[in-house]
Amino acid sequence: MSIVHSDEFGQFQQDSATPHTSRVVTKWLQERSSDFRHLHWPPKSPGMNIIEDIWDALLHAVEERSPSPRTPMDLLTVLQDSWCDFPPRYLQTLVESMPRRFESLLRDRGGP
């Protein structure tokens, strides 16, 4: 795994959405299960996945761009530039928000 933690195991997070539970994905996960910890997320809990916040911020950056990207390559460039413009503190804040997100999930008994 290219992203590892201090214990040398990566973490794979999924939300049990239908594409994530297909036979192909399930087989892939089983074949590589010794490479990472598999974190099962409750279905329909996008608030538990910080990538949703990042995607929203990238979408906002694209929408604010003037001129708007006109080609797929323009879009890629805007996304890459926007990613590089994220202050490291923004990403750290998202990571640090996980305990609060877990508390909320537990309080709501796994509901959205």
Side-chain angles (χ1 to χ4, degrees):
M1 227 181 172
S2 61
I3 299 174
V4 294
H5 295 271
S6 59
D7 63 5
E8 298 183 12
F9 284 96
Q11 295 188 30
F12 181 80
Q13 172 188 334
Q14 68 153 319
D15 61 5
S16 301
T18 303
H20 301 161
T21 58
S22 69
R23 277 183 291 174
V24 171
V25 172
T26 301
K27 181 180 178 193
W28 186 91
L29 289 170
Q30 289 171 344
E31 290 171 354
R32 291 160 181 83
S33 63
S34 62
D35 295 339
F36 53 86
R37 280 176 286 216
H38 186 182
L39 305 174
H40 294 277
W41 248 227
K44 299 180 182 165
S45 295
M48 293 301 299
N49 190 344
I50 63 175
I51 195 66
E52 298 291 337
D53 297 276
I54 295 168
W55 285 336
D56 187 55
L58 288 171
L59 175 62
H60 182 72
V62 170
E63 289 174 342
E64 295 294 313
R65 194 63 160 238
S66 182
S68 297
R70 297 184 184 271
T71 68
M73 189 54 75
D74 290 346
L75 178 58
L76 177 62
T77 300
V78 169
L79 290 170
Q80 288 173 331
D81 290 349
S82 299
W83 173 260
C84 291
D85 289 343
F86 283 153
R89 185 70 193 138
Y90 168 71
L91 300 174
Q92 185 63 36
T93 298
L94 291 175
V95 170
E96 290 170 358
S97 74
M98 290 309 296
R100 178 183 45 79
R101 293 169 189 249
F102 279 116
E103 288 172 13
S104 175
L105 180 73
L106 291 173
R107 184 182 59 247
D108 296 338
R109 297 190 174 132

